[in-house]
């Protein structure tokens, strides 16, 4: 093989180096081009999201309607930053667009944080109001049943006129759409009814200790108390608010369990075993009271 001239050899290596460098730079440029394309897509998506949040969202409208000077100023800052980001993006300055979009998002987040979601709060208050009103009616039914069974005048335990007046006042506020105020009024009514029910139950306990002449009288009392609780449980189930629906299957199972215990107590009574019958009917009452408490009754 003939020896190549050294100068010619150096020239070939130089040409090869230039060729490799050129190919390498083209690969780098291709990778950079792909990165830029991806970044443009990400920024474009972020800017579309900001546009929707800043100009068309319900939360932005609530800020506009709030009259809160600080929130309004932050919202305007966010919109101006968005416009700058859009301009930078259109001009190809992706870094500036990214920074401006970040500033816009931070400003609008702060603006939204200043405005309470009064609509959402009122919706929750409305649900709580309706549930509490239903519970009050159940408490009243329990109070009337207890008072009738014990021969107590309900008026000695509860000012029913005041209760109805409070409910009407709460209803007026609810009709005006102010459920938060209606709920606050109704809570006072609920407290009064629950307190009266507790007083009735306290009197019931005292009478219980004094009035039974025979074990059979004691059994009959507990049996009648169970029947009253079962009736109350049926009212509870028929007026159950949506928030209680998940508990209904368990409440029904407890009611069924109580009924089985009552049947066992009745068999014991019929067999003349009153001591065990009383224990079993008391157990049935504990079970049905558990069901009522699970339904929200303060027994």
């Amino acid at each position: 093989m003939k020896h190549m001239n050294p100068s010619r050899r150096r020239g070939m290596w130089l040409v090869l180096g230039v060729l490799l460098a050129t190919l390498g730079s083209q690969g780098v440029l291709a990778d950079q081009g792909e990165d830029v394309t991806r970044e443009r897509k990400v920024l474009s998506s972020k800017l579309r999201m900001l546009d929707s949040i800043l100009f068309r969202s319900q939360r932005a409208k609530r800020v506009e309607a709030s009259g809160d000077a600080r929130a309004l100023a932050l919202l305007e800052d966010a919109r101006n930053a968005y416009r700058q980001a859009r301009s930078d993006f259109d001009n190809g300055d992706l870094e500036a667009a990214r920074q401006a979009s970040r500033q816009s998002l931070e400003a609008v987040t702060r603006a939204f944080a200043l405005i309470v979601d009064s609509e959402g709060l009122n919706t929750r208050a409305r649900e709580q109001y309706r549930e509490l009103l239903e519970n009050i009616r159940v408490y009243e039914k329990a109070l009337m049943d207890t008072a009738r069974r014990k021969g107590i005048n309900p008026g000695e335990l509860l000012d029913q006129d005041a209760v109805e007046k409070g409910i009407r006042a709460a209803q007026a506020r609810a009709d005006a759409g102010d459920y938060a105020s209606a709920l606050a009024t109704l809570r006072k009514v609920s407290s009064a009814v629950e307190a009266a029910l507790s007083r009735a139950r306290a009197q019931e306990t005292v009478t219980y200790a004094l009035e039974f002449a025979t074990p059979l009288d004691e059994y009959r009392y507990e049996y009648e108390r169970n029947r009253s609780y079962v009736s109350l449980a049926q009212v509870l189930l028929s007026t159950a608010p949506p928030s209680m629906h998940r508990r209904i299957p368990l409440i029904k199972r407890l009611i069924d369990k109580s009924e089985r215990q009552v049947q066992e107590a009745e068999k014991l009574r019929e067999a003349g075993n009153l001591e065990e019958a009383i224990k079993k009917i008391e157990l049935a009452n504990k079970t049905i009271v558990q069901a009522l408490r699970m339904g929200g009754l303060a027994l």
Side-chain angles (χ1 to χ4, degrees):
M1 180 181 294
K2 294 182 179 180
H3 294 286
M4 184 178 292
N5 186 291
S7 61
R8 184 177 179 185
R9 187 183 298 116
R10 286 195 298 271
M12 289 182 64
W13 281 112
L14 181 61
V15 170
L16 181 59
V18 171
L19 179 59
L20 291 173
T22 301
L23 291 174
S25 64
Q26 287 177 345
V28 171
L29 290 173
D31 290 341
Q32 290 177 344
E34 291 177 3
D35 290 341
V36 170
T37 300
R38 283 195 296 270
E39 187 173 3
R40 286 188 64 86
K41 287 182 179 179
V42 171
L43 268 174
S44 179
S45 176
K46 186 174 183 179
L47 290 171
R48 285 196 301 271
M49 177 192 72
L50 278 170
D51 179 78
S52 178
I53 291 172
L54 293 168
F55 298 100
R56 287 182 292 279
S57 71
Q58 289 299 317
R59 297 193 70 182
K61 291 177 182 177
R62 280 199 290 271
V63 172
E64 291 173 339
S66 70
D68 188 303
R70 179 59 180 156
L72 287 169
L74 284 167
L75 179 60
E76 187 59 28
D77 288 345
R79 287 172 171 173
N80 288 336
Y82 162 79
R83 295 184 183 101
Q84 183 61 53
R86 172 58 68 183
S87 176
D88 292 335
F89 179 84
D90 292 340
N91 292 331
D93 192 343
L94 300 186
E95 178 59 29
R98 184 166 51 249
Q99 292 179 6
S101 65
R102 186 183 302 116
Q103 292 170 2
S104 176
L105 185 58
E106 290 173 355
V108 74
T109 299
R110 291 164 59 198
F112 287 169
L114 291 174
I115 304 302
V116 176
D117 184 2
S118 58
E119 181 179 341
L121 290 176
N122 204 44
T123 298
R124 289 190 291 276
R126 180 178 62 206
E127 294 171 354
Q128 293 170 355
Y129 166 83
R130 291 173 177 172
E131 179 178 345
L132 186 56
L133 182 58
E134 290 170 348
N135 285 345
I136 287 172
R137 293 310 186 190
V138 174
Y139 295 151
E140 285 183 308
K141 175 68 165 55
L143 176 63
M144 295 303 113
D145 287 347
T146 301
R148 183 180 65 252
R149 187 173 63 252
K150 301 308 302 174
I152 302 171
N153 178 4
E156 296 176 2
L157 301 170
L158 179 68
D159 186 343
Q160 292 171 292
D161 289 339
V163 168
E164 293 304 318
K165 182 178 179 180
I167 290 175
R168 287 194 299 271
Q171 186 63 59
R173 292 180 173 90
D175 291 343
D178 187 359
Y179 283 96
S181 178
L183 181 60
T185 301
L186 209 57
R187 281 177 177 146
K188 296 178 182 178
V189 176
S190 179
S191 295
V193 177
E194 288 185 58
L197 182 57
S198 295
R199 287 193 294 273
R201 293 287 288 114
Q203 290 192 27
E204 182 180 58
T205 302
V206 171
T207 306
Y208 173 90
L210 295 175
E211 83 175 9
F212 302 124
T214 68
L216 183 58
D217 288 338
E218 184 175 354
Y219 177 85
R220 286 172 176 165
Y221 168 78
E222 292 292 351
Y223 180 86
E224 290 302 320
R225 191 153 69 107
N226 182 275
R227 296 300 88 189
S228 176
Y229 283 155
V230 170
S231 298
L232 182 58
Q234 296 303 325
V235 173
L236 180 70
L237 291 175
S238 65
T239 60
S243 61
M244 201 179 80
H245 285 179
R246 285 183 296 181
R247 284 175 277 162
I248 286 178
L250 180 54
I251 292 172
K252 287 182 176 179
R253 285 198 294 272
L254 288 170
I255 294 171
D256 291 342
K257 181 179 178 181
S258 175
E259 288 296 275
R260 290 193 299 271
Q261 291 166 336
V262 170
Q263 291 172 8
E264 293 171 11
E266 283 287 88
K267 290 178 181 178
L268 290 167
R269 178 190 62 79
E270 291 169 359
N273 191 348
L274 284 174
E275 183 177 349
E276 291 301 317
I278 290 170
K279 290 180 181 179
K280 184 63 68 171
I281 197 70
E282 287 177 341
L283 185 60
N285 285 343
K286 288 180 181 179
T287 303
I288 194 69
V289 166
Q290 184 182 357
L292 293 171
R293 286 174 176 167
M294 187 164 292
L297 290 184
L299 293 175

